[in-house]
Amino acid sequence: MRADLDIIANWIQPKQQVLDLGCGSGLLLDHLIKTKGITGYGLEIEEDAITECIRKGINVIQQDLDKGLDNFEDHSVDTIVMTQAVQAVKRPDLLLDEMLRVADEAIITFPNFGHWSCRFYLLFKGRMPMSEALPFSWYDTPNIHLCTFKDFEALCYDKGIKVVNRTVVDNELKDSWAVRLWPNMLGQVAIYHITKR
Amino acid sequence: MPTEIPENSVGIVTPQVYSFDEPLKLRSGQELPAYDLMVETYGTLNEDASNAVLICHALSGDHHAAGYHSSEDKKPGWWDSAIGPGKPIDTNRFFVVALNNLGGCAGSTGPTSINPATGKPYGSDFPIFCVRDWVNSQARLADRLGIQKWAAVVGGSLGGMQALRWSIQYPERVAHCVVIASAPKLTTQNIAFNEVARQAIVKDPEFHDGYYLEKDTIPKGGLMQARMLGHITYLSDDGMALKFGRDLKSGKLNFNYDSEFEIESYLRYQGERFSGQFDANTYLLMTKALDYFDPAAAFDNNLAECLKQAQCKYMVMSFSTDWRFSPKRSEEIVNALMEADKDVSYVEIESDKGHDAFLLPIPRYMQVFDAFMNRVASNQGLI
């Protein structure tokens, strides 16, 4: 089992209603339905991923996250999850506001631009970093707002968002002692559990 | 006629009449004492009747949804792109039921049928139907066919309204509901279009208050105008421009009122063809049913509250350039379903074909449809 899915599942209470932003092919929702008995919907824009969700019986709604979450009432879901999508939206700061309007809690994962490999790449090659977590060239990447863990935490601080829990995993989405020791340098993917302060 | 019937066609099909003696009480307060329904079925009903799919038709549709009536048939049924072996509504798996709604003009009891009380065609005396009345008549048909619960009720446009109504009215009888290019109620603009179409018909000198058959005539001009207007609203501006542009029939401007542009002659042809086949009173009745549909009205206009009673899983689809039933309207249904905590998936299909797209074999549309119907089959234990 992918470590990040298990970590996220541990932070979600059974039977909750969950909204998964950028749900992909529904892997996480499927896991949460099976292990936690949650109900919920995934929002996705990529066509093949949507079809895969439908085939699996995952509730998926075609929706562009850049257009906000206007169709959801305040506090209408228990937990909002967004894995590996925050860096691809136009205004992550506004989306964060939206997420904590619609749900009381949010769980977010994103690739860490402060990882040593990125720093190394830029320092020695003088080019925009590419890695397994960030496999795109600078001109055709869907990731338009890359940030480091420190950047994200600064944004949370500015917005009065409380970080309840934070875990960092490596590129294989595994947890390790070294990554925990020096997350911003060694962690490739961060998993944040946040609420309104 | 296709030189050869394609392999993925249901082939030659024969409609069948089902007669009902029990009176049908209607929303309007009127009653239809006895009636016939014209029905086509494709595939085979399985032993526990768990594979039945109901197809609800749109304004000008009927029971002939797939296959050919004879080897001389030029065109297959109206939804042949979606129904057949290997198609989304796979007749190797599902038993498909399609009928002509009451008030229609393709064999079911309607304004052209003989009114037993007078011995003459019903004409304007035929009662006005609402979507829920059709659903009630379809439920009786299901009883007759031995179908307690539909694996899926499926429909586009006015058919989508029927599917939605089914899920509210008979929640225990619907397992899945597919609502395509539809709306929870018409917009004011839509009602306005319908009214223009109706006025074109009733103002035709041959209409005779709806008793035109007794006078041995039909309001052909009015019906043609109504259809031309409808046709424009079912296409998109871009799609029409792409197909016809401003092309001239004779290659030059003639400065008269004949049809000069290609689009004019196309619309005239479509209107002409339709007015020779379709009944004017049926057109009035179907557009009225569209106007009246508003299931949330009885729930203080709260659609989510109305949909809470449903028990099925939903698939909602819309088309990007459909402005008569725009994606926004489908999203209203989807948002209400999510608010009501129902299982729902939603897709907006990219297409330049406007409202008519729901009848076309657009690859992405067929793919999504197929994925959902696969799920239906799996949930029903058919695969």
Side-chain angles (χ1 to χ4, degrees):
Chain A
M1 177 47 61
R2 266 172 52 183
D4 60 334
L5 299 189
D6 263 343
I7 291 164
I8 293 169
N10 283 337
W11 293 345
I12 288 175
Q13 302 303 313
K15 310 265 177 217
Q16 276 200 337
Q17 191 167 46
V18 176
L19 190 61
D20 186 354
L21 309 187
C23 68
S25 58
L27 205 62
L28 175 67
L29 280 172
D30 196 36
H31 182 65
L32 293 176
I33 289 164
K34 284 177 184 147
T35 59
K36 293 280 175 170
I38 63 111
T39 57
Y41 307 94
L43 306 189
E44 181 54 61
I45 197 161
E46 211 270 301
E47 290 186 352
D48 291 341
I50 292 172
T51 312
E52 188 53 33
C53 285
I54 292 168
R55 205 174 292 281
K56 279 187 199 151
I58 302 290
N59 292 321
V60 63
I61 310 296
Q62 182 175 326
Q63 186 166 334
D64 183 355
L65 299 181
D66 284 329
K67 292 187 179 152
L69 302 172
D70 279 354
N71 50 333
F72 295 93
E73 302 269 326
D74 296 0
H75 312 290
S76 53
V77 296
D78 298 317
T79 302
I80 271 199
V81 185
M82 181 161 63
T83 61
Q84 307 278 2
V86 68
Q87 73 278 7
V89 297
K90 275 188 191 146
R91 287 295 299 269
D93 55 332
L94 300 182
L95 188 57
L96 266 184
D97 290 338
E98 276 286 85
M99 289 168 77
L100 289 175
R101 174 184 67 77
V102 172
D104 296 328
E105 297 181 38
I107 297 169
I108 293 180
T109 81
F110 59 88
N112 175 26
F113 207 62
H115 186 257
W116 69 266
S117 65
C118 294
R119 300 187 194 202
F120 185 86
Y121 211 104
L122 191 59
L123 185 64
F124 290 103
K125 294 195 179 176
R127 295 188 60 186
M128 281 302 282
M130 281 171 70
S131 65
E132 261 181 66
L134 298 164
F136 305 97
S137 303
W138 63 274
Y139 48 83
D140 69 349
T141 177
N143 303 322
I144 52 177
H145 285 298
L146 289 160
C147 66
T148 73
F149 297 170
K150 279 190 181 169
D151 288 327
F152 183 74
E153 283 176 28
L155 176 65
C156 289
Y157 181 82
D158 289 348
K159 287 194 164 292
I161 291 168
K162 184 177 162 195
V163 176
V164 185
N165 249 317
R166 183 191 77 177
T167 294
V168 177
V169 292
D170 66 18
N171 197 32
E172 273 147 16
L173 303 169
K174 281 186 193 137
D175 192 8
S176 77
W177 64 268
V179 168
R180 264 173 284 158
L181 201 66
W182 199 0
N184 202 32
M185 181 67 94
L186 299 177
Q188 279 189 311
V189 176
I191 309 173
Y192 280 87
H193 186 187
I194 56 176
T195 63
K196 270 260 184 246
R197 197 175 283 163
Chain B
M1 141 75 192
T3 42
E4 211 172 274
I5 289 187
E7 234 173 76
N8 63 354
S9 165
V10 297
I12 304 276
V13 291
T14 313
Q16 225 184 321
V17 179
Y18 287 78
S19 298
F20 296 82
D21 294 331
E22 198 189 335
L24 186 70
K25 273 203 181 331
L26 307 175
R27 186 187 169 197
S28 63
Q30 284 185 275
E31 172 174 290
L32 198 61
Y35 56 90
D36 291 343
L37 287 178
M38 187 65 102
V39 181
E40 273 180 23
T41 66
Y42 323 112
T44 315
L45 188 64
N46 64 7
E47 222 159 83
D48 60 355
S50 62
N51 69 337
V53 172
L54 176 68
I55 308 295
C56 302
H57 72 71
L59 195 146
S60 59
D62 55 35
H63 56 279
H64 186 39
Y68 300 83
H69 279 162
S70 72
S71 51
E72 278 81 54
D73 239 1
K74 284 197 181 74
K75 276 185 172 179
W78 58 270
W79 220 10
D80 198 72
S81 54
I83 304 166
K87 292 179 187 174
I89 302 172
D90 190 339
T91 44
N92 289 328
R93 263 178 204 159
F94 295 113
F95 174 66
V96 181
V97 179
L99 75 155
N100 183 213
N101 283 342
L102 286 170
C105 51
S108 292
T109 302
T112 58
S113 310
I114 298 298
N115 181 352
T118 62
K120 294 176 188 165
Y122 273 104
S124 288
D125 292 337
F126 195 80
I128 285 192
F129 265 71
C130 293
V131 170
R132 72 180 69 174
D133 302 321
W134 284 328
V135 168
N136 285 332
S137 71
Q138 290 158 0
R140 285 193 187 166
L141 176 65
D143 292 341
R144 180 77 63 88
L145 294 168
I147 297 158
Q148 182 45 43
K149 185 174 188 169
W150 298 104
V153 178
V154 185
S157 196
L158 177 57
M161 290 173 168
Q162 293 167 61
L164 199 62
R165 186 81 228 179
W166 254 101
S167 72
I168 300 164
Q169 203 158 322
Y170 293 99
E172 70 293 345
R173 300 193 72 171
V174 183
H176 301 82
C177 178
V178 185
V179 181
I180 306 167
S182 194
K185 63 178 179 217
L186 288 195
T187 57
T188 319
Q189 190 192 40
N190 251 332
I191 296 174
F193 280 128
N194 284 347
E195 177 57 10
V196 175
R198 283 192 294 263
Q199 284 301 313
I201 293 169
V202 302
K203 292 288 190 250
D204 185 308
E206 302 296 327
F207 183 65
H208 300 294
D209 291 328
Y211 301 105
Y212 42 84
L213 291 183
E214 289 176 43
K215 305 265 180 190
D216 211 18
T217 180
I218 48 168
K220 211 168 169 211
L223 191 54
M224 178 179 161
Q225 275 180 50
R227 185 57 177 178
M228 282 166 70
L229 170 77
H231 210 89
I232 297 165
T233 69
Y234 301 144
L235 303 175
S236 78
D237 193 12
D238 287 348
M240 239 195 282
L242 207 66
K243 194 165 170 186
F244 304 103
R246 292 176 55 90
D247 294 351
L248 295 166
K249 270 176 70 185
S250 64
K252 63 178 179 69
L253 294 173
N254 293 312
F255 301 99
N256 62 31
Y257 295 110
D258 294 338
S259 75
E260 291 196 85
F261 292 95
E262 285 292 350
I263 182 65
E264 291 175 298
S265 78
Y266 172 77
L267 283 177
R268 286 187 194 189
Y269 169 76
Q270 291 292 342
E272 187 76 33
R273 204 170 60 110
F274 185 78
S275 62
Q277 295 169 348
F278 208 78
D279 176 56
N281 279 318
T282 293
Y283 205 87
L284 299 180
L285 182 146
M286 295 279 169
T287 55
K288 268 288 176 189
L290 274 164
D291 293 357
Y292 289 135
F293 182 72
D294 183 8
F299 290 80
D300 214 9
N301 293 313
N302 187 332
L303 186 60
E305 206 52 49
C306 166
L307 289 165
K308 271 188 185 152
Q309 55 198 313
Q311 294 172 16
C312 62
K313 297 177 194 300
Y314 290 88
M315 178 75 228
V316 180
M317 290 185 260
S318 69
F319 297 87
S320 57
T321 53
D322 182 352
W323 55 279
R324 185 103 194 229
F325 288 82
S326 77
K328 249 202 180 105
R329 309 308 317 284
S330 286
E331 285 161 22
E332 282 175 39
I333 298 172
V334 173
N335 292 339
L337 284 168
M338 288 201 287
E339 203 183 320
D341 291 333
K342 300 298 166 193
D343 275 306
V344 55
S345 286
Y346 169 63
V347 178
E348 179 188 320
I349 309 289
E350 205 56 56
S351 150
D352 65 4
K353 299 287 188 292
H355 186 57
D356 271 355
F358 88 89
L359 297 166
L360 304 171
I362 299 164
R364 166 101 189 112
Y365 170 36
M366 290 297 125
Q367 204 180 40
V368 168
F369 204 166
D370 188 68
F372 187 77
M373 291 312 292
N374 244 304
R375 199 65 207 169
V376 172
S378 155
N379 289 345
Q380 296 297 107
L382 307 175
I383 44 173

